[in-house]
Amino acid sequence: MNKERLIPLIVATALFMENMDSTVIATSLPAIAADIGTSPLTLKLAITSYLLSLAVFIPASGWTADRFGARMVFSLAIGVFMVGSIGCALSSSVTDFVIARILQGMGGAMMTPVGRLVLLRTIDKSALVNAMAWVTVPALVGPVIGPPLGGFITTYFSWHWIFLINIPIGLLGIFMAMRYIDPIRSDDPERFDLYGLVLAGIGLAGIAFGLSVAGLNLLPWTVVAALVAIGAISMTLYVIHARRTASPVLDFALLRLPTMRASIIGGFMFRLGIGALPFLLPLLMQVGFGLSPFQSGLVTFASAVGAMGMKTLAARIIRTFGFRNMMTINAVVSSVFLAACALFTATTPLLLIMIILVVGGFFRSLQFTAINTVAYAEVEPPQMSRATTLVSVNQQLAVSAGVAIGAFCVESTMLLRHVQELDATVFAPAFLVVAFISALSAYFFWQMPDDAGHEISGRKAVEISSRKGVAKAAAKAASEGTEDARDQRLG
């Protein structure tokens, strides 16, 4: 297998492990809580410690990779995630579980951005779309396959295996990484911005944790608002600090690049809707339609099938239409399929639901691949580590915001309709709101230059070839016109 296929698969394996683990626990909360002697509500609050750890440590990932080498940091991150997984499986109290989840968050914070950095430094830009297509699939498949897998393992085996299943996957990932990834590191690592890391860590943790807790409806709104406010103040102080620093942990100067700006702002809005989907859809299936967790997981798995079907066509579609045209139109198309979930009722045939989810999954996955790839179109090699850190932070905040907005819409609908308990009718407005926000991202993608990312997509080669074809046709027509004129004179 060539490097263009092998390296993305190694990175994708680690990302799949992380994405699946973060959602697989949701189904098994009651069993875990009963076993360690606590309530599912308390355990939910403990699980959000993973998001807290993730938000705090992601900003340090870029500098760490430059200083110690991306391959080494990526392998160690998998190792730390595995140790955290073992800790979760051996937990006998809430305290043990929280510590183990924080350790997992530290590993996960390094795995995602550093894995993407490995990809960018190993794969040629011309092959980047195909590589990103392979890496994008776990991000979509993990959250969808997690709940049914968690339900299956908890029902037929034991909840401990939810975490222990990470060990063989992680060991394989470390072996493959150390064997096939080149040991690339920065020759001149920048000075570590500790003050900036503290400000950014507090800011991101406050915002991400506050939004995530809001989605779970665990704390009073005053506490949630205070968390988000503290995070916002800290991030404002960080922005002021970053302007005076030569090597900030989060480099917002990268937003001057049109493709990075579209990927960050447009990508945030698009991901917000998609981040709400794994939260809203299982609730609709289980609470609204009365399906079991395992059954609802099998239905929602349809979107993962669409995502997997996309990876072979992504490069061809982007090369044909170009990043700007494709991303602008596809943002709207994907949002339409997201909004279609608002039409689902208890009488809607499951086959129709699955078809909509399969097709929608295809377009969403295509958009993710394009967003993740075009972000780096104008980034120079020395700035790659900063770019991957910024993109990873943006993704984390978008997903947290999506869950929070989805939950807020559901609760607001219940309040307006004076409904005390969840039913199938209160989900439709939430799907429509997040779909509308996702559709608005098309404006930011349209702001990109017409030739955005042509070097990556191969679109430039298509246009050059097309222009050569037009020139040949024109030359041939001129030649034929000359021959016709000569024939007429001779006649």
Side-chain angles (χ1 to χ4, degrees):
M1 189 180 290
N2 60 27
K3 186 174 284 189
E4 281 75 15
R5 183 67 53 83
L6 186 62
I7 301 300
L9 284 177
I10 295 171
V11 175
T13 302
L15 300 191
F16 175 76
M17 182 171 66
E18 181 194 346
N19 279 288
M20 187 183 71
D21 191 88
S22 60
T23 53
V24 76
I25 301 169
T27 316
S28 312
L29 273 180
I32 300 173
D35 204 37
I36 65 176
T38 187
S39 69
L41 195 66
T42 306
L43 203 59
K44 268 190 176 183
L45 191 58
I47 283 174
T48 55
S49 60
Y50 174 83
L51 293 172
L52 197 64
S53 179
L54 210 62
V56 169
F57 290 102
I58 280 178
S61 60
W63 179 87
T64 309
D66 282 347
R67 178 67 180 82
F68 301 104
R71 182 183 72 173
M72 181 58 69
V73 173
F74 182 66
S75 301
L76 284 174
I78 297 175
V80 170
F81 192 85
M82 286 166 53
V83 171
S85 298
I86 294 170
C88 287
L90 299 178
S91 295
S92 57
S93 68
V94 176
T95 305
D96 295 342
F97 197 76
V98 168
I99 293 170
R101 287 296 284 172
I102 289 173
L103 201 58
Q104 274 192 314
M106 291 172 64
M110 296 290 166
M111 271 200 300
T112 303
V114 177
R116 197 171 281 123
L117 183 61
V118 165
L119 205 67
L120 292 165
R121 288 184 172 171
T122 309
I123 305 296
D124 187 74
K125 275 195 172 184
S126 61
L128 201 54
V129 174
N130 270 327
M132 280 295 183
W134 284 91
V135 171
T136 300
V137 172
L140 293 162
V141 174
V144 177
I145 201 176
L149 184 64
F152 180 78
I153 291 173
T154 306
T155 303
Y156 297 104
F157 296 95
S158 164
W159 67 264
H160 302 84
W161 287 103
I162 290 172
F163 301 102
L164 295 176
I165 201 172
N166 290 332
I167 308 308
I169 299 173
L171 288 173
L172 178 64
I174 292 172
F175 169 75
M176 298 289 281
M178 295 302 291
R179 179 164 183 177
Y180 294 108
I181 295 175
D182 297 329
I184 303 169
R185 70 169 67 187
S186 175
D187 296 329
D188 186 26
E190 298 171 331
R191 183 178 62 84
F192 186 55
D193 181 20
L194 180 60
Y195 180 60
L197 177 66
V198 172
L199 285 177
I202 293 172
L204 293 170
I207 295 169
F209 187 67
L211 292 174
S212 301
V213 172
L216 294 172
N217 197 26
L218 295 175
L219 296 175
W221 278 104
T222 50
V223 177
V224 173
L227 285 169
V228 175
I230 291 169
I233 292 167
S234 186
M235 281 305 294
T236 303
L237 293 173
Y238 171 77
V239 171
I240 296 169
H241 162 76
R243 289 177 178 174
R244 305 169 183 168
T245 308
S247 53
V249 288
L250 292 176
D251 190 1
F252 293 115
L254 289 169
L255 295 178
R256 293 171 186 161
L257 303 173
T259 48
M260 176 61 82
R261 185 168 60 250
S263 179
I264 292 293
I265 301 174
F268 181 89
M269 297 180 73
F270 183 79
R271 279 194 181 88
L272 198 146
I274 310 308
L277 189 63
F279 168 74
L280 293 172
L281 202 54
L283 271 179
L284 175 63
M285 294 292 160
Q286 293 175 43
V287 178
F289 300 166
L291 300 180
S292 70
F294 186 57
Q295 288 172 322
S296 78
L298 290 176
V299 173
T300 54
F301 181 70
S303 63
V305 174
M308 288 184 282
M310 174 280 313
K311 66 181 183 293
T312 55
L313 298 173
R316 195 178 306 167
I317 292 171
I318 294 171
R319 186 166 58 248
T320 303
F321 299 102
F323 276 105
R324 189 183 76 160
N325 297 334
M326 191 284 292
M327 292 172 74
T328 303
I329 295 169
N330 195 49
V332 177
V333 173
S334 299
S335 301
V336 168
F337 279 96
L338 183 58
C341 297
L343 302 175
F344 294 163
T345 66
T347 58
T348 306
L350 283 180
L351 180 61
L352 179 60
I353 292 175
M354 292 178 76
I355 289 171
I356 291 172
L357 293 178
V358 167
V359 180
F362 175 88
F363 288 112
R364 285 191 293 273
S365 185
L366 176 61
Q367 192 75 354
F368 274 138
T369 299
I371 291 170
N372 289 338
T373 308
V374 81
Y376 308 103
E378 299 173 277
V379 179
E380 298 299 325
Q383 298 173 305
M384 279 298 182
S385 57
R386 292 187 194 177
T388 55
T389 302
L390 191 62
V391 169
S392 296
V393 165
N394 184 62
Q395 289 178 0
Q396 184 61 41
L397 288 177
V399 172
S400 298
V403 172
I405 289 177
F408 176 75
C409 290
V410 170
E411 290 177 10
S412 300
T413 305
M414 290 174 66
L415 194 64
L416 290 170
R417 294 184 180 177
H418 306 290
V419 177
Q420 297 299 319
E421 293 186 2
L422 282 173
D423 60 47
T425 62
V426 300
F427 289 93
F431 281 115
L432 293 175
V433 168
V434 295
F436 177 71
I437 295 172
S438 288
L440 290 178
S441 66
Y443 170 78
F444 296 96
F445 299 134
W446 184 249
Q447 295 302 307
M448 289 192 295
D450 187 43
D451 61 348
H454 277 15
E455 181 187 349
I456 296 174
S457 66
R459 172 78 173 165
K460 188 179 289 184
V462 172
E463 289 186 352
I464 290 170
S465 174
S466 176
R467 282 197 294 269
K468 283 181 178 176
V470 170
K472 283 181 182 177
K476 185 178 179 183
S479 174
E480 288 175 350
T482 304
E483 289 175 3
D484 287 344
R486 187 174 60 244
D487 290 342
Q488 286 174 8
R489 285 198 304 272
L490 292 173

